[in-house]
Amino acid sequence: MISDRVKSGSERTPHRSLFKAMGYTDEELRRPLIGVVNAHNEVIPGHIHLDTIAEAVKRGILAAGGTPIEVPAIGVCDGIAMGHVGMRYSLPSRELIADSVETMAMAHGFDGMVLIPNCDKIVPGMLMAAARVNIPSIFVSGGPMLSGKVGPVTDVTEVSLSNTFEAVGAYKAGKIDDEELKDFENSSCPTCGSCAGMYTANSMNCLTEALGMGLPGNGTIPAVYAARIRLAKEAGFAIMDILKKDIKPRDIMTEEAFMNALTIDMALGCSTNSMLHLPAIAYEAGVIIDLEIANEISAKTPNLCKLAPAGPHHIEELNAAGGIQAVMKEIAKKGLLNLDLMTVTGKTIRENIEKFSNKNPNVIRPVENPYSETGGIAVLKGNLAPLGCVVKRSAVAPEMLKHSGPARVYNSEEEAIEAIFGGKINKGDIVIIRYEGPKGGPGMREMLSPTSALAGMGLDKDVALITDGRFSGASRGASIGHVSPEAAEGGNIGLVEEGDIINIDINAGTIELDVSEDTLSERRKTWRPKKPSITTGYLARYAKLVTSANTGAVLKND
């Protein structure tokens, strides 16, 4: 590591000279050099305040005897990227983030890292890099925003970003007026931080804690609380402790740790995007996660939380109820977690959860009284998705857990949105959006706009949506994504025709296109993939290397 290389030796004089050009002293160079990877920018609400978090981290490192060195990381705001070409860059940015963190850490030989992400792809991208580089590392996120409030004083409703997207559908359907829509726009996102529901950003920050890579509170302490600053300082202290103990990411992110994370994923009812990110992080740590494992865990894990958009609660309430450690303590009662695994606290999970308790059984249901005996995410298989697809079961209305209906087929998100807002989708229909997968998009766009439009128009309990793209954690209803193989790779979703009957049984884990194999074989003879919409630049390179959604959409040279 560079701190070893700059301490002594005449051959390291040029290295020390370059550090001294930046004002570093001999004493600072004698200390461990800790990379503080700060994803601050001025275009993501969850990142606008990260300089404050970074300063607190650096204070902690300095107080504990290290030398902090701040470096940047990029990030995409999924909400701002939604509904246009920008969303094609969101998932691919995860790989850029992982690569850039690896580059900065390896090129400059940091002794350890404190990584400061917050929103959707930044968290998994940094976790992938930490596993890849494998030097002592700890995560401290920027924290969730508070929920908003809309409506008159006599009838206030707590809301978050998903309600704003749904408000557009309600407005298009004539259910709310201009003034009410403006109230959602002005009030749904009242503070900095990651959006207030169990969307992808908060899902991954909570799962970072469950994996053991974040301190207790990392996933739930609100961005605007002083406790978040204290947590950042504690992360600075903690990195120096695990550096001394030589605890590295792969010592923490073991196969058993990923099983723990998947279990908490099911208990919380996290975003379906976790089924992309956990396998991708595991891949970098040398661990294989497949969708079959996820279903096995879901089958025995009770769903204890219904956070927005699946239910009325927001992350600040989960935090007040005891946070992720309290959820883990509840789940541990059923013997579903390995409690003897090491974490970045330098202690085991068993030691970490000891002081926590469930302070609000309405927010964190006791294991004796879960929302359901099975987890919040389900993996479906059938001839429409031979390699699997994913649905957030906890956000599906009971009447839609089993559904049959005619396919309404669209070859892009834009075509589907036009049909939905044009009143062309009827109760009972099943909307198919294809050629939106990792390769076909390219980039595997989120389909929050169509799902929110359906919900806002009151159709989420009557219409299913199936795609080889993916969904925001803010989506609710029978939103089934990650269909693998995708249409661009010749998957059967590319052979569906208008009016074909599709049978969905979420509890049974099946999704079937009611068309014979002979008919599908005949259709395949004349099938031609849709031409990709982008053929140059980063996305073209990404499309050539990216794997299927069922393997985490990681990049492989082979």
Side-chain angles (χ1 to χ4, degrees):
M1 289 301 167
I2 200 152
S3 60
D4 293 326
R5 294 201 294 265
V6 299
K7 284 176 183 175
S8 61
S10 59
E11 70 277 9
R12 299 307 177 199
T13 297
H15 297 89
R16 291 192 295 273
S17 178
L18 290 167
F19 272 90
K20 288 182 177 179
M22 295 180 280
Y24 288 93
T25 66
D26 287 332
E27 174 57 30
E28 287 175 302
L29 296 180
R30 278 193 287 270
R31 298 177 178 186
L33 304 185
I34 307 299
V36 178
V37 187
N38 182 7
H40 166 266
N41 64 45
E42 295 182 347
V43 75
I44 307 178
H47 289 228
I48 190 74
H49 65 302
L50 291 189
D51 277 352
T52 304
I53 303 297
E55 284 303 314
V57 167
K58 289 190 285 187
R59 287 189 184 189
I61 293 169
L62 285 167
T67 297
I69 300 176
E70 187 174 338
V71 296
I74 66 165
V76 170
C77 178
D78 277 30
I80 294 173
M82 196 76 65
H84 59 90
V85 69
M87 181 46 67
R88 299 191 189 280
Y89 288 85
S90 173
L91 181 60
S93 76
R94 185 188 72 181
E95 316 308 313
L96 289 175
I97 292 160
D99 290 350
S100 65
V101 173
E102 174 195 4
T103 298
M104 294 302 286
M106 298 305 293
H108 303 106
F110 297 144
D111 293 298
M113 291 189 292
V114 179
L115 299 111
I116 308 173
N118 208 25
C119 290
D120 291 15
K121 308 309 168 296
I122 300 91
V123 185
M126 287 187 176
L127 282 165
M128 290 164 69
R132 193 185 297 172
V133 175
N134 201 37
I135 60 175
S137 300
I138 188 169
F139 282 68
V140 56
S141 76
M145 68 172 62
L146 300 179
S147 60
K149 293 176 174 57
V150 300
V153 175
T154 54
D155 188 25
V156 171
T157 300
E158 289 193 359
V159 295
S160 51
L161 181 66
S162 59
N163 301 98
T164 309
F165 276 91
E166 292 177 13
V168 175
Y171 178 78
K172 295 280 188 179
K175 295 183 177 183
I176 62 174
D177 59 24
D178 289 333
E179 186 176 344
E180 291 170 302
L181 183 62
K182 193 71 173 179
D183 193 14
F184 278 96
E185 179 181 319
N186 290 336
S187 305
S188 294
C189 299
T191 72
C192 63
S194 49
C195 297
M198 189 53 80
Y199 311 142
T200 304
N202 290 326
S203 294
M204 294 311 302
N205 283 321
C206 290
L207 294 180
T208 298
E209 193 175 328
L211 266 174
M213 290 298 294
L215 297 176
N218 179 70
T220 59
I221 297 173
V224 294
Y225 284 13
R228 177 60 59 177
I229 301 298
R230 294 197 296 272
L231 187 75
K233 290 178 182 177
E234 289 167 4
F237 303 150
I239 186 62
M240 300 307 295
D241 180 55
I242 63 173
L243 181 64
K244 290 174 186 174
K245 294 175 179 176
D246 197 31
I247 299 172
K248 298 183 177 73
R250 292 191 193 181
D251 299 325
I252 295 171
M253 290 194 281
T254 61
E255 183 175 354
E256 293 83 1
F258 282 101
M259 296 307 105
N260 279 354
L262 279 168
T263 300
I264 298 306
D265 190 337
M266 301 305 166
L268 290 171
C270 288
S271 164
T272 52
N273 282 314
S274 64
M275 292 295 100
L276 281 173
H277 300 322
L278 285 176
I281 299 160
Y283 171 76
E284 297 292 350
V287 175
I288 301 299
I289 291 179
D290 61 34
L291 296 183
E292 295 295 335
I293 294 173
N295 247 7
E296 289 173 18
I297 291 174
S298 182
K300 60 186 180 183
T301 305
N303 178 217
L304 305 185
C305 301
K306 277 196 180 291
L307 298 145
H313 304 297
H314 294 89
I315 303 297
E316 66 205 73
E317 296 168 85
L318 177 60
N319 183 66
I324 303 309
Q325 302 296 312
V327 174
M328 294 179 79
K329 195 165 187 176
E330 283 289 345
I331 289 296
K333 294 177 183 177
K334 290 182 70 73
L336 296 176
L337 297 176
N338 185 331
L339 300 179
D340 297 318
L341 303 181
M342 183 53 61
T343 73
V344 291
T345 65
K347 300 177 181 178
T348 65
I349 294 169
R350 188 185 306 278
E351 293 171 295
N352 288 345
I353 66 174
E354 185 177 359
K355 65 180 180 180
F356 288 86
S357 61
N358 184 355
K359 299 177 182 178
N360 189 339
N362 292 318
V363 176
I364 304 172
R365 287 273 188 97
V367 290
E368 300 83 8
N369 181 36
Y371 284 103
S372 67
E373 293 292 343
T374 53
I377 291 177
V379 176
L380 316 182
K381 282 192 173 183
N383 67 346
L384 188 59
L387 298 179
C389 56
V390 180
V391 62
K392 189 171 184 174
R393 175 165 43 197
S394 60
V396 178
E399 53 266 47
M400 286 298 291
L401 291 171
K402 189 172 184 179
H403 179 73
S404 296
R408 306 299 307 280
V409 183
Y410 304 97
N411 287 333
S412 70
E413 179 188 14
E414 288 80 4
E415 290 179 18
I417 282 286
E418 183 179 353
I420 293 167
F421 284 147
K424 296 178 182 179
I425 304 301
N426 302 310
K427 290 185 177 182
D429 286 348
I430 296 180
V431 177
I432 300 287
I433 305 179
R434 61 194 183 191
Y435 295 104
E436 292 286 7
K439 286 185 180 293
M444 202 180 184
R445 289 192 289 181
E446 286 185 345
M447 302 292 145
L448 178 57
S449 293
T451 59
S452 298
L454 290 170
M457 297 169 83
L459 292 172
D460 57 299
K461 295 181 180 179
D462 302 288
V463 173
L465 196 155
I466 301 171
T467 181
D468 53 8
R470 59 195 178 90
F471 294 107
S472 165
S475 291
R476 63 184 174 95
S479 304
I480 301 168
H482 307 195
V483 170
S484 301
E486 62 176 288
E489 289 196 303
N492 285 345
I493 189 172
L495 305 179
V496 181
E497 294 185 358
E498 189 80 9
D500 285 349
I501 299 300
I502 295 173
N503 303 310
I504 302 165
D505 191 333
I506 292 173
N507 285 333
T510 59
I511 184 166
E512 294 287 341
L513 175 61
D514 194 6
V515 173
S516 70
E517 286 301 317
D518 288 343
T519 301
L520 290 177
S521 295
E522 286 300 312
R523 291 180 183 179
R524 191 173 297 281
K525 291 176 183 178
T526 57
W527 172 80
R528 296 292 181 273
K530 177 187 172 186
K531 292 183 179 179
S533 57
I534 296 177
T535 57
T536 60
Y538 173 55
L539 289 185
R541 298 196 302 275
Y542 175 85
K544 289 180 180 179
L545 297 175
V546 70
T547 62
S548 179
N550 69 297
T551 60
V554 297
L555 301 188
K556 290 185 179 180
N557 290 325
D558 56 355

